[in-house]
Amino acid sequence: MSRAMSKITLGIMVAGLLWFSYSSVSAVYPFNWSSLTKYYKLFLEGILTTFQLSVIALALAVIVGILVALARDSKVNLLRDAGTLYVWFFRNMPLLVVILLVYYGFGSAVNVDRFWAGVISLSLFEGAYVGEIFRAGIDAVPSGEKEAGEAMGLYRSQIMFSIVFPQAFRISIPPLIGQLVTLIKDSSLVSVIALGDLTMRARQVGTQTLAVFEAYIVLAGCYLVMTSLVSLVGRVLERRLAIP
Amino acid sequence: MKEKNVILSLLNLTKSFDSQEVLKEVSFDVREGDVIAVLGSSGAGKTTLLRCINNLITPDGGDVFFKGERVQRTKHSIRAFRSKVGFVFQRFNLISHLRIIDNVALPLVKVGRVKWTDARKVAADHLKRVGLADKLMSYPSQLSGGQQQRVGIARALVMDPDIVLLDEPTSALDPSLVGEVMRVIRRLSSEGRTMIIVTHEIEFAKHIANRVVFLNDGEVFADCSPNEFFESVSGEIAEFLTDLSAIV
């Protein structure tokens, strides 16, 4: 069976399965899609908030990640241990708890805006993972190339900026895109601090219209489209930047 | 024959890895225009010696004198010295994300503080001389091993070094590609470049080198002309040469 044929077959099978489940559920649950339509603006707002949250958090997570990776590769023991400690903490802490700590914990001492509480939690948390991605990328640069830099008479910082980072960055792109997808999905947890992201908006629409199932189906669809688009852009970027 | 100036002296270089003594007080002088083949069976310390010279490996003891001055083990002193010493690696070690021309221009830009546009002109010229004028825009992975090594040589020459160190420049190559790299190195020697070549190719020692340094067990066992070396009756050298011809 050709590749295209098998894809079409799978598509038909999945569509059939969905239609079957939908029609059996609708026998007991009266779907009411029309009530959702006037709330489409809330969904758009939610998508926008989730998007802003994810992009800003990713940018900050990349900065945190660079610092963590540099600390973990540092010659200074204290920095190396600090980096390890950071990664250990955030990799062993549920994101939900981080969000609660930042918003209700620090938030009770200093006034933190919901949105920025979300951004800070996500970037601190994802920064640990991004740091590990960068570190793997840095370690993947052939040591012979660093040696060539040394033999030319480059300083350590020149070796890093001219030889190591450009390659480490390219190596890191695929896992970094994966992490962005994770970040978008993880961002749904900020709805617990009543930040109006996509998940929060879908819950609001669901409770207001009583069309809960419908709202969550739309919610699921929105996440799938967002994350798939990111993956697609990532694949294009990866191909563009590939070293022949 | 007129005595040429000594440009590099090694004095009592020692190096141990764990408790294994790899270099035992290695000393010799390199004069301008010398082409020295460093021979020895594997494990004799040839590559370690070459790396100790430009501090890719820090020697445990001993000193390197460059044009009469001791090379201090400080960042700046080592960097200044390295910029005057070309190094050619066994596995080429080209920078994989840079085009060939930028690989060669990189030392000029980063160490020589030359602008990229000017550096590329010089780089193109050097690449032309090793027969790669048509590969300027390629990436290292798009070249054969022999071509990559010729880029490696062009990169080592671009700073117009006083001496070039070559670490087994042909041993990672397909036998059919050895010739093209050898021709380039032969040309360098005829231009009067000072070189130290660590090698297994007996042809280098016979036809290109004017001196052979034979390392045995971390010590300079012989330092003589190729003729003397190949006619030597010493047990160790004879054994080494027999082993070598047995491979060929």
Side-chain angles (χ1 to χ4, degrees):
Chain A
M1 196 159 35
S2 80
R3 197 88 178 82
M5 270 304 284
S6 78
K7 274 184 183 168
I8 291 168
T9 315
L10 182 68
I12 292 170
M13 278 163 60
V14 170
L17 197 66
L18 286 178
W19 177 81
F20 176 75
S21 338
Y22 184 78
S23 47
S24 6
V25 172
S26 52
V28 286
Y29 179 90
F31 279 102
N32 175 15
W33 292 99
S34 54
S35 62
L36 285 188
T37 47
K38 61 179 173 188
Y39 290 98
Y40 79 97
K41 267 196 180 148
L42 271 183
F43 276 107
L44 287 183
E45 260 173 50
I47 288 175
L48 190 67
T49 306
T50 291
F51 183 76
Q52 284 172 335
L53 188 67
S54 304
V55 169
I56 298 174
L58 180 78
L60 291 177
V62 165
I63 294 170
V64 172
I66 290 172
L67 294 178
V68 168
L70 287 181
R72 297 256 279 169
D73 265 347
S74 162
K75 278 185 187 162
V76 185
N77 287 331
L78 183 70
L79 283 177
R80 227 177 26 243
D81 292 343
T84 310
L85 185 69
Y86 185 91
V87 172
W88 166 81
F89 181 82
F90 283 102
R91 289 221 299 197
N92 289 290
M93 186 60 57
L95 175 57
L96 187 54
V97 177
V98 176
I99 294 169
L100 294 176
L101 272 176
V102 169
Y103 187 66
Y104 293 110
F106 290 100
S108 53
V110 276
N111 195 18
V112 193
D113 174 69
R114 286 173 212 284
F115 181 79
W116 289 103
V119 167
I120 290 168
S121 311
L122 279 170
S123 31
L124 287 178
F125 182 82
E126 307 289 339
Y129 292 85
V130 174
E132 289 297 273
I133 290 172
F134 283 151
R135 195 166 73 106
I138 289 171
D139 288 350
V141 177
S143 60
E145 297 189 22
K146 293 178 222 170
E147 221 169 40
E150 279 183 61
M152 277 175 216
L154 301 190
Y155 288 122
R156 203 178 129 80
S157 61
Q158 289 178 314
I159 293 175
M160 288 316 238
F161 282 101
S162 305
I163 298 174
V164 177
F165 291 154
Q167 292 187 58
F169 177 66
R170 284 176 175 86
I171 296 168
S172 303
I173 287 176
L176 209 54
I177 295 297
Q179 199 59 43
L180 177 58
V181 168
T182 305
L183 199 156
I184 292 174
K185 294 187 292 178
D186 285 352
S187 74
S188 61
L189 286 173
V190 299
S191 59
V192 296
I193 54 172
L195 170 55
D197 78 318
L198 183 56
T199 304
M200 172 76 188
R201 293 300 180 208
R203 279 163 65 183
Q204 281 178 343
V205 173
T207 44
Q208 276 174 38
T209 58
L210 299 178
V212 178
F213 202 169
E214 295 87 330
Y216 288 165
I217 288 174
V218 173
L219 174 67
C222 288
Y223 274 115
L224 272 183
V225 171
M226 283 179 88
T227 50
S228 305
L229 280 178
V230 167
S231 302
L232 205 67
V233 172
R235 231 169 292 155
V236 173
L237 199 66
E238 192 189 331
R239 223 171 300 151
R240 277 279 177 82
L241 288 173
I243 304 162
Chain B
M1 205 166 72
K2 196 178 130 226
E3 279 286 274
K4 294 258 181 76
N5 295 332
V6 173
I7 55 174
L8 189 79
S9 311
L10 312 181
L11 193 66
N12 298 332
L13 284 181
T14 56
K15 180 71 195 178
S16 304
F17 292 115
D18 298 324
S19 59
Q20 172 90 9
E21 258 191 299
V22 184
L23 294 180
K24 299 171 188 163
E25 309 214 325
V26 173
S27 307
F28 60 86
D29 289 345
V30 183
R31 288 170 190 284
E32 213 178 313
D34 265 354
V35 178
I36 298 177
V38 178
L39 301 179
S41 35
S42 49
K46 305 185 296 292
T47 295
T48 308
L49 170 64
L50 208 62
R51 284 166 177 257
C52 279
I53 294 177
N54 79 342
N55 225 67
L56 280 181
I57 296 176
T58 310
D60 298 335
D63 283 304
V64 174
F65 291 85
F66 181 60
K67 291 180 167 174
E69 291 200 25
R70 196 169 81 90
V71 180
Q72 313 275 336
R73 298 237 162 76
T74 61
K75 252 202 267 180
H76 293 280
S77 176
I78 288 172
R79 172 179 157 113
F81 174 60
R82 281 173 175 167
S83 70
K84 289 278 136 209
V85 178
F87 201 100
V88 176
F89 293 88
Q90 183 178 359
R91 307 210 150 265
F92 335 129
N93 293 358
L94 301 181
I95 312 306
S96 37
H97 72 284
L98 295 180
R99 294 176 192 277
I100 295 311
I101 187 162
D102 290 347
N103 256 282
V104 179
L106 187 68
L108 273 180
V109 174
K110 295 295 168 187
V111 183
R113 302 266 168 231
V114 179
K115 280 194 198 123
W116 273 109
T117 45
D118 299 333
R120 287 198 179 107
K121 279 180 204 144
V122 182
D125 195 46
H126 276 279
L127 284 164
K128 212 176 289 166
R129 274 191 256 164
V130 294
L132 291 170
D134 55 336
K135 298 287 183 193
L136 303 182
M137 290 305 170
S138 305
Y139 285 93
S141 61
Q142 296 168 323
L143 302 189
S144 72
Q147 290 170 329
Q148 289 193 48
Q149 192 56 295
R150 284 186 277 153
V151 177
I153 294 171
R155 177 174 71 179
L157 294 176
V158 77
M159 294 291 284
D160 195 21
D162 292 308
I163 181 166
V164 182
L165 312 175
L166 300 97
D167 183 13
E168 306 200 20
T170 57
S171 51
L173 297 177
D174 238 44
S176 63
L177 301 175
V178 170
E180 60 185 75
V181 172
M182 268 199 164
R183 269 196 299 281
V184 170
I185 296 172
R186 186 191 294 262
R187 204 203 67 221
L188 295 184
S189 94
S190 68
E191 287 170 0
R193 283 271 173 208
T194 312
M195 294 187 276
I196 302 179
I197 311 176
V198 166
T199 185
H200 286 297
E201 295 284 344
I202 232 57
E203 295 301 307
F204 270 128
K206 270 188 180 158
H207 302 298
I208 303 180
N210 69 338
R211 257 171 79 191
V212 172
V213 168
F214 180 67
L215 283 188
N216 189 39
D217 210 10
E219 287 177 297
V220 178
F221 189 83
D223 181 353
C224 53
S225 76
N227 282 340
E228 283 173 73
F229 181 78
F230 288 105
E231 277 153 27
S232 170
V233 287
S234 142
E236 277 82 358
I237 297 176
E239 197 183 323
F240 169 73
L241 290 174
T242 324
D243 285 354
L244 213 62
S245 53
I247 303 166
V248 181

